[in-house]
Amino acid sequence: MPQSHLEDGPRHTGISFKKVTSTLQLSHDYSVKPAGLRWRSNTFFIISTVAVGLFTDLFLFGLVVPVLPYMLEQRVGISEDQVQGHVSALLAAYAGASVLGSPLAGVLADKVSTRQAPFLGGLFSLLLATILLFLGRSIAVLTVARVFQGISAAMVWTIGLALCLETVGPENLGKTIGSIFSFISVGNLAAPVLGGVLYDKTGYPGVFGIGFAVLAIDFIMRLLVIEKKVALRYEKNDPHQGDLQQTTSHNAHDDSDPEWHPQHDDQNGEAPPYEENDPLLGKKKEEEYKLPENLPSVVQKVPLLATFRSPSLLCAFLVAFIQATTLSTFDATVPTHAKALFGFSSLEAGLLFIPLGIFDLVLGPVAGWAVDRYGVKPAAVFGYGFLVPVFGLLRLPEKGDQDQVILYAGLLALCGVGMAVIGAPSIVESGAVVQKYYQANPDFFGAEGPYAQLYGINSMVFSAGLTVGPIVAGGLTEKIGYGDMNAVIAGICALTAILCWLYLGGKPQMLRKRGFGGRIRHTLGI
């Protein structure tokens, strides 16, 4: 055999090995492109991977909800009168782990060069939780399983939302979040019903079998996904290429990507950073978000804390908390109220969530598009304002026949409309505010920016709302009744709408230009 052929063999083997390690994302050698780089870094595939990850989290959470009481009675040996307390404790373990884990997940994700490793770590935590739930025969094991499930939720929501922002930019985040939330609402609605049916027909193997199947699909997608900034490193053969460009201005996209359609609307009623007829406006905006030097050490370690001076960001966090609190009141009160009024079984009560969720599924993308097109302020004010009379009307259904059931289902459907509208504003607003701080202070925040920290806090606040909502709704229902409880929620929505008008998306035009008193005097001509 000629000498050249002997030399080509090892060289070819080396190249093939590099190709394999690059394809599996096990190597930081950016000279060899991984297989399928183009479609694996495509906007649609990245967003689909995030959507499937969030879907898996909610699906596996809801899948075991109807099964938990039977697990506690049959496997653990808990008496029937103690089951409700232990179920609540397991839910608290999940929520507590998610609340505590979310900010830690954000800090961790911003310290690593890519999101894929912590994204996969969250999936392994969920896999371990599912195995423990399947095999667990003691309260301790089930509690540990729920803690791992909460940690997984913290990771997937924090990393997933950060990936969305980095992939589509704040200009398209509203319709992206709206579409994702519509997709995952299917899992949230179907999982409890499917879990109950599978347990009734097949027992535990059927319930957890479908769970492991969904996990397998999720694992494959998370393993294959390549972030746009990482894809740009392969294009430029530079391990640092794409960090700054992709995070600050989202220029690390593929120009030929059909899913990339950046818009330049006058977001939230505020002027864009630079106008041709007002060259000083951009500079003023930058000075507004410029951070002082010599910040405290704790702020330097957790840079996101520096952005908490923004009323708009704090309002966005509050809106996320109210959104989760409002959403979770339905879980706590609809089944018991339906049973009291109509004598519904758990399955019949579960069917009432279909009109509540179907409008979120249908209107979510439309509401998200409206946020991108018209800004977060109009959407948030309209959504929370719309919910005020709807929650007030939930006291109308009384004990009766099918007409009362239709009335109650119709009111829940209207609630679904409002919930669809308020789904995106808090996430979009918080991302937009933090991006302005990052653009004004790129050296302080570093190459990756504080986006994972941001959505870690957002996930923590949202999880706290999901924890507080059932407690508040259940307690108020016992004390003052279902109708008055909803009147309190309506009042909270009204207050939230006012706060959204004042702070979300910046100061209102009428207050920003002349001041409220000056506007009134100008209108009256005095």
Side-chain angles (χ1 to χ4, degrees), residues 23-84:
T23 298
L24 296 177
Q25 296 287 280
L26 299 176
S27 170
H28 295 290
D29 182 3
Y30 296 99
S31 63
V32 180
K33 294 183 180 181
L37 174 63
R38 185 176 180 83
W39 65 265
R40 290 169 65 181
S41 61
N42 180 268
T43 298
F44 180 77
F45 184 73
I46 295 174
I47 298 303
S48 297
T49 301
V50 173
V52 170
L54 299 180
F55 174 91
T56 302
D57 174 69
L58 289 180
F59 183 81
L60 291 182
F61 175 83
L63 192 68
V64 299
V65 166
V67 181
L68 269 181
Y70 300 99
M71 294 176 65
L72 291 171
E73 285 189 51
Q74 299 171 6
R75 286 189 168 185
V76 183
I78 301 298
S79 59
E80 185 177 354
D81 60 333
Q82 295 181 331
V83 166
Q84 182 61 58

Side-chain angles (χ1 to χ4, degrees), residues 364-432:
V366 178
W369 171 85
V371 169
D372 289 334
R373 181 66 180 86
Y374 300 106
V376 296
K377 189 187 295 292
V381 172
F382 172 79
Y384 281 104
F386 177 82
L387 286 172
V388 173
V390 176
F391 272 110
L393 292 174
L394 282 174
R395 66 170 61 246
L396 293 181
E398 301 175 347
K399 290 184 178 180
D401 53 12
Q402 187 176 2
D403 292 340
Q404 295 297 315
V405 176
I406 294 174
L407 174 61
Y408 191 44
L411 290 173
L412 289 176
L414 291 177
C415 288
V417 173
M419 297 306 296
V421 176
I422 66 174
S426 64
I427 295 176
V428 174
E429 174 68 358
S430 58

Side-chain angles (χ1 to χ4, degrees), residues 43 47 164 168-169 172-181 365 368-369 372:
T43 298
I47 298 303
C164 285
V168 304
N172 302 293
L173 189 60
K175 60 175 173 284
T176 301
I177 295 298
S179 300
I180 289 176
F181 279 18
W369 171 85
D372 289 334

Side-chain angles (χ1 to χ4, degrees), residues 73-119:
E73 285 189 51
Q74 299 171 6
R75 286 189 168 185
V76 183
I78 301 298
S79 59
E80 185 177 354
D81 60 333
Q82 295 181 331
V83 166
Q84 182 61 58
H86 283 87
V87 168
S88 300
L90 290 173
L91 290 174
Y94 169 88
S98 182
V99 169
L100 296 176
S102 294
L104 297 178
V107 173
L108 172 64
D110 281 335
K111 297 295 183 183
V112 297
S113 60
T114 70
R115 310 291 191 197
Q116 188 183 41
F119 205 35

Side-chain angles (χ1 to χ4, degrees), residues 85-324:
H86 283 87
V87 168
S88 300
L90 290 173
L91 290 174
Y94 169 88
S98 182
V99 169
L100 296 176
S102 294
L104 297 178
V107 173
L108 172 64
D110 281 335
K111 297 295 183 183
V112 297
S113 60
T114 70
R115 310 291 191 197
Q116 188 183 41
F119 205 35
L120 281 171
L123 185 64
F124 282 120
S125 179
L126 184 56
L127 174 62
L128 181 58
T130 307
I131 293 173
L132 290 176
L133 284 172
F134 181 47
L135 301 177
R137 295 184 179 274
S138 69
I139 289 293
V141 173
L142 295 180
T143 302
V144 171
R146 297 300 272 181
V147 168
F148 276 114
Q149 203 168 21
I151 293 173
S152 171
M155 296 293 287
V156 69
W157 283 88
T158 299
I159 307 300
L161 293 176
L163 265 177
C164 285
L165 177 62
E166 293 175 349
T167 301
V168 304
E171 306 89 357
N172 302 293
L173 189 60
K175 60 175 173 284
T176 301
I177 295 298
S179 300
I180 289 176
F181 279 18
S182 295
F183 172 69
I184 65 178
S185 67
V186 177
N188 196 29
L189 285 170
V193 178
L194 186 60
V197 172
L198 287 173
Y199 176 77
D200 183 60
K201 301 296 183 182
T202 65
Y204 297 111
V207 174
F208 288 96
I210 192 173
F212 287 122
V214 173
L215 277 170
I217 297 173
D218 191 7
F219 172 74
I220 293 172
M221 295 188 71
R222 293 198 206 190
L223 188 64
L224 290 176
V225 72
I226 297 177
E227 300 163 62
K228 287 190 175 292
K229 62 184 179 184
V230 176
L232 189 61
R233 295 173 192 170
Y234 286 105
E235 296 292 343
K236 303 296 184 179
N237 191 15
D238 182 356
H240 302 292
Q241 183 73 31
D243 288 348
L244 284 174
Q245 296 95 321
Q246 197 269 350
T247 308
T248 56
S249 60
H250 307 278
N251 287 333
H253 63 278
D254 184 355
D255 291 333
S256 62
D257 188 345
E259 299 297 326
W260 182 269
H261 299 292
Q263 302 173 2
H264 301 283
D265 299 326
D266 187 2
Q267 177 86 346
N268 304 334
E270 295 187 26
Y274 294 93
E275 291 283 347
E276 292 181 359
N277 59 354
D278 191 0
L280 297 178
L281 183 60
K283 185 176 181 180
K284 291 180 181 179
K285 278 292 181 183
E286 184 175 343
E287 291 177 354
E288 179 183 345
Y289 292 97
K290 192 71 175 177
L291 296 174
E293 298 181 358
N294 301 322
L295 290 169
S297 58
V298 64
V299 176
Q300 294 181 10
K301 292 179 180 178
V302 186
L304 182 68
L305 296 176
T307 67
F308 283 14
R309 63 181 61 204
S310 168
S312 296
L313 181 61
L314 297 179
C315 184
F317 288 149
L318 176 63
V319 169
F321 177 81
I322 298 300
Q323 176 191 353

Side-chain angles (χ1 to χ4, degrees), residues 438-457:
Y438 179 73
Q439 289 176 336
N441 311 271
D443 295 333
F444 175 75
F445 289 106
E448 295 294 328
Y451 298 109
Q453 296 176 39
L454 166 66
Y455 291 120
I457 297 295

